Amino acid sequence: MSCTQNEGGPFVVFFLPAIVGGLTILLLRRWVNAPTTNPPFRVSRRRKFYKDPSYKRSLQQITCKMVAAGSKKASGSAKKATINQISDEDVSNGKRIRPRHSPTMSTIPDTKCSDSPPPPKHIPFPYIPRDGEILYEVMTFTFTLVAMGLQFLNLYRTMWWLPHSYTTQAMNFYLIDQHLVAFIVTILSRRLLLSLTIMLLKCILTPKMLPHAVKATRLFILGVLLGSLLWCSYYIILKHPIVKMFYLCYPAVIYFILFGMNAEPFLELHNTDAPLMHSCSHEPEQIRIEVEVLRQDFNMRVKKILFNSIAGAYYTSFVPCCFAQTYLHYDVASAAQQVGLVWGALCGRYTSQLLPASLTDAPHRASAHLGKWISVAIPRDVEPPEWCDDRPWCAGARVSWCGGVWLAAAPVVCAIPGEPKHTRFYSVFNNPSKLLCLLLCLQLSLVAMQFFLLFSLIAWHNFLSIIILLFINYYTLFKMLRDYLVAWKVYKAENMIQDRNVQIPGN
């Protein structure tokens, strides 16, 4: 019989394979789950052991003392714990019977856990990209050169656009001392020269020879810089009174007061090979030592920010005014305004590089372990325990120390009561987003002031100076705003987790 259309086509194509596949899956599952009563006669190289379900092994009941989490003697206590081995089954008349445990069975009493506070919870800080050392030094060097040129423009500008002007240039370049410019450029390029040289050495030398080469390079560049400064100073003395040479030496006096005879802060902004680290220790003495190290590192960063920003604004904007000719008349208010704006811009740049949000996370974690004490008054008939330095204290604990009574105002407190260094450290780094918010507000106020000056000034050279300075301030403002927003969200979530664990008493 012939037919023009295959009526069973859809059933064969779609339903028949589905039915066959479903039956195959059911048979496989039943075969896999079927219990094996007799072991196979052949044993492969990977031996399979079959356990008789009618056979039961005797179990051992182990009881040991409870040890608080985080205790160093946990392993020793577990070894010394008493182990009672009680068989689950006894043999009686050839039958296996399970014994009944009497309620009078001797057991080991539970020990009390340690009353030490739980360790604080830390949230991993997200990665925030930062400017590399070479990029940062190139941008800073370019900005300081532009700031120096803008100040020279304020001093030696001309009326070149007038029809009867005797010059076609915007500045009287012949009045600018070339040796003074070379002196300023040498001071400004010290870190960039060292960074480029070290980068070149890393590409050429092996890691084994690199540390010795870096030390030799620092000494060589320091000698070259001092020789160049002395050579420029000799020619400056020939043209100007010797009293003006003291203007070039004032930052050196500040440097020796802040850093002493250490030449590293002069050549490098910061040692990036040793990043800030934090170790969650449970020893109060180790926590206080770590806090002291982080506190000194923070103070060193603040000193570098102040010195480099002041020195940059001093040499680029103030020194050109000091070495101006006596017959030159210039706007003192505009020159002073340029000094202040350059100092604010440099201070923001160094702050965003040396104190970003990622580098304040390690001091924040250390402050969470440190805690703080607040002085309280209690009745005389109540005598709190004496403070001891070898244990952490819980929130709300009261201790007596140096004739006063102190209250623990943090979840974990390892600080010394009444120690101003510990109090300041905890106040600054308990929530670093407040510090970042303060820096952001200062940078924002600087930009707002520049906007106000931009719409209130008429002189073209002042207008040009503010516009150029605004570009670098915008970039710094963006970095500070990004750091603040990330830190605010991270520490807000961390505080919510910490508040769930322990309730901190108020002041």
PDB file of all heavy atoms in Angstrom, residues 197 215-225:
ATOM      1  N   THR A 197      65.634  56.603  37.307  1.00  0.00           N
ATOM      2  CA  THR A 197      66.869  55.817  37.364  1.00  0.00           C
ATOM      3  C   THR A 197      66.618  54.437  37.949  1.00  0.00           C
ATOM      4  O   THR A 197      67.135  53.426  37.440  1.00  0.00           O
ATOM      5  CB  THR A 197      67.920  56.562  38.189  1.00  0.00           C
ATOM      6  OG1 THR A 197      68.071  57.895  37.687  1.00  0.00           O
ATOM      7  CG2 THR A 197      69.265  55.843  38.125  1.00  0.00           C
ATOM      8  N   LYS A 215      71.044  51.557  46.345  1.00  0.00           N
ATOM      9  CA  LYS A 215      71.750  52.356  47.356  1.00  0.00           C
ATOM     10  C   LYS A 215      72.826  53.222  46.713  1.00  0.00           C
ATOM     11  O   LYS A 215      72.981  54.408  47.053  1.00  0.00           O
ATOM     12  CB  LYS A 215      72.369  51.417  48.394  1.00  0.00           C
ATOM     13  CG  LYS A 215      71.358  50.688  49.252  1.00  0.00           C
ATOM     14  CD  LYS A 215      72.048  49.798  50.274  1.00  0.00           C
ATOM     15  CE  LYS A 215      71.030  49.046  51.120  1.00  0.00           C
ATOM     16  NZ  LYS A 215      71.698  48.142  52.119  1.00  0.00           N
ATOM     17  N   ALA A 216      73.575  52.644  45.781  1.00  0.00           N
ATOM     18  CA  ALA A 216      74.614  53.424  45.098  1.00  0.00           C
ATOM     19  C   ALA A 216      73.993  54.538  44.260  1.00  0.00           C
ATOM     20  O   ALA A 216      74.539  55.656  44.185  1.00  0.00           O
ATOM     21  CB  ALA A 216      75.458  52.497  44.227  1.00  0.00           C
ATOM     22  N   THR A 217      72.845  54.268  43.659  1.00  0.00           N
ATOM     23  CA  THR A 217      72.185  55.288  42.851  1.00  0.00           C
ATOM     24  C   THR A 217      71.695  56.444  43.704  1.00  0.00           C
ATOM     25  O   THR A 217      71.791  57.612  43.297  1.00  0.00           O
ATOM     26  CB  THR A 217      71.009  54.648  42.089  1.00  0.00           C
ATOM     27  OG1 THR A 217      71.503  53.571  41.288  1.00  0.00           O
ATOM     28  CG2 THR A 217      70.322  55.667  41.202  1.00  0.00           C
ATOM     29  N   ARG A 218      71.173  56.153  44.881  1.00  0.00           N
ATOM     30  CA  ARG A 218      70.731  57.226  45.776  1.00  0.00           C
ATOM     31  C   ARG A 218      71.884  58.132  46.168  1.00  0.00           C
ATOM     32  O   ARG A 218      71.750  59.367  46.160  1.00  0.00           O
ATOM     33  CB  ARG A 218      70.085  56.618  47.015  1.00  0.00           C
ATOM     34  CG  ARG A 218      68.731  55.959  46.754  1.00  0.00           C
ATOM     35  CD  ARG A 218      68.232  55.238  47.988  1.00  0.00           C
ATOM     36  NE  ARG A 218      66.951  54.581  47.745  1.00  0.00           N
ATOM     37  CZ  ARG A 218      66.380  53.741  48.592  1.00  0.00           C
ATOM     38  NH1 ARG A 218      66.988  53.444  49.749  1.00  0.00           N
ATOM     39  NH2 ARG A 218      65.223  53.186  48.292  1.00  0.00           N
ATOM     40  N   LEU A 219      73.009  57.537  46.515  1.00  0.00           N
ATOM     41  CA  LEU A 219      74.171  58.358  46.874  1.00  0.00           C
ATOM     42  C   LEU A 219      74.659  59.177  45.690  1.00  0.00           C
ATOM     43  O   LEU A 219      75.040  60.349  45.837  1.00  0.00           O
ATOM     44  CB  LEU A 219      75.283  57.452  47.408  1.00  0.00           C
ATOM     45  CG  LEU A 219      74.982  56.715  48.727  1.00  0.00           C
ATOM     46  CD1 LEU A 219      76.132  55.788  49.091  1.00  0.00           C
ATOM     47  CD2 LEU A 219      74.726  57.714  49.850  1.00  0.00           C
ATOM     48  N   PHE A 220      74.672  58.567  44.506  1.00  0.00           N
ATOM     49  CA  PHE A 220      75.149  59.277  43.315  1.00  0.00           C
ATOM     50  C   PHE A 220      74.238  60.450  42.973  1.00  0.00           C
ATOM     51  O   PHE A 220      74.714  61.570  42.694  1.00  0.00           O
ATOM     52  CB  PHE A 220      75.234  58.297  42.145  1.00  0.00           C
ATOM     53  CG  PHE A 220      75.619  58.943  40.850  1.00  0.00           C
ATOM     54  CD1 PHE A 220      76.924  59.353  40.611  1.00  0.00           C
ATOM     55  CD2 PHE A 220      74.654  59.152  39.854  1.00  0.00           C
ATOM     56  CE1 PHE A 220      77.281  59.958  39.408  1.00  0.00           C
ATOM     57  CE2 PHE A 220      74.998  59.759  38.658  1.00  0.00           C
ATOM     58  CZ  PHE A 220      76.309  60.162  38.436  1.00  0.00           C
ATOM     59  N   ILE A 221      72.929  60.214  42.989  1.00  0.00           N
ATOM     60  CA  ILE A 221      71.995  61.292  42.646  1.00  0.00           C
ATOM     61  C   ILE A 221      72.019  62.381  43.704  1.00  0.00           C
ATOM     62  O   ILE A 221      71.928  63.584  43.377  1.00  0.00           O
ATOM     63  CB  ILE A 221      70.578  60.709  42.471  1.00  0.00           C
ATOM     64  CG1 ILE A 221      70.535  59.825  41.215  1.00  0.00           C
ATOM     65  CG2 ILE A 221      69.539  61.808  42.387  1.00  0.00           C
ATOM     66  CD1 ILE A 221      69.194  59.193  40.954  1.00  0.00           C
ATOM     67  N   LEU A 222      72.167  62.007  44.957  1.00  0.00           N
ATOM     68  CA  LEU A 222      72.274  63.020  46.009  1.00  0.00           C
ATOM     69  C   LEU A 222      73.503  63.890  45.804  1.00  0.00           C
ATOM     70  O   LEU A 222      73.450  65.128  45.971  1.00  0.00           O
ATOM     71  CB  LEU A 222      72.317  62.336  47.377  1.00  0.00           C
ATOM     72  CG  LEU A 222      72.383  63.263  48.596  1.00  0.00           C
ATOM     73  CD1 LEU A 222      71.153  64.160  48.653  1.00  0.00           C
ATOM     74  CD2 LEU A 222      72.516  62.456  49.881  1.00  0.00           C
ATOM     75  N   GLY A 223      74.625  63.262  45.425  1.00  0.00           N
ATOM     76  CA  GLY A 223      75.825  64.051  45.146  1.00  0.00           C
ATOM     77  C   GLY A 223      75.658  64.963  43.940  1.00  0.00           C
ATOM     78  O   GLY A 223      76.103  66.122  43.956  1.00  0.00           O
ATOM     79  N   VAL A 224      74.997  64.459  42.894  1.00  0.00           N
ATOM     80  CA  VAL A 224      74.763  65.285  41.706  1.00  0.00           C
ATOM     81  C   VAL A 224      73.864  66.469  42.032  1.00  0.00           C
ATOM     82  O   VAL A 224      74.105  67.609  41.581  1.00  0.00           O
ATOM     83  CB  VAL A 224      74.160  64.427  40.576  1.00  0.00           C
ATOM     84  CG1 VAL A 224      73.703  65.308  39.418  1.00  0.00           C
ATOM     85  CG2 VAL A 224      75.175  63.407  40.086  1.00  0.00           C
ATOM     86  N   LEU A 225      72.829  66.242  42.825  1.00  0.00           N
ATOM     87  CA  LEU A 225      71.923  67.326  43.191  1.00  0.00           C
ATOM     88  C   LEU A 225      72.628  68.388  44.028  1.00  0.00           C
ATOM     89  O   LEU A 225      72.474  69.592  43.777  1.00  0.00           O
ATOM     90  CB  LEU A 225      70.727  66.762  43.948  1.00  0.00           C
ATOM     91  CG  LEU A 225      69.747  65.907  43.143  1.00  0.00           C
ATOM     92  CD1 LEU A 225      68.688  65.318  44.060  1.00  0.00           C
ATOM     93  CD2 LEU A 225      69.093  66.719  42.036  1.00  0.00           C
TER      94      LEU A 225
END
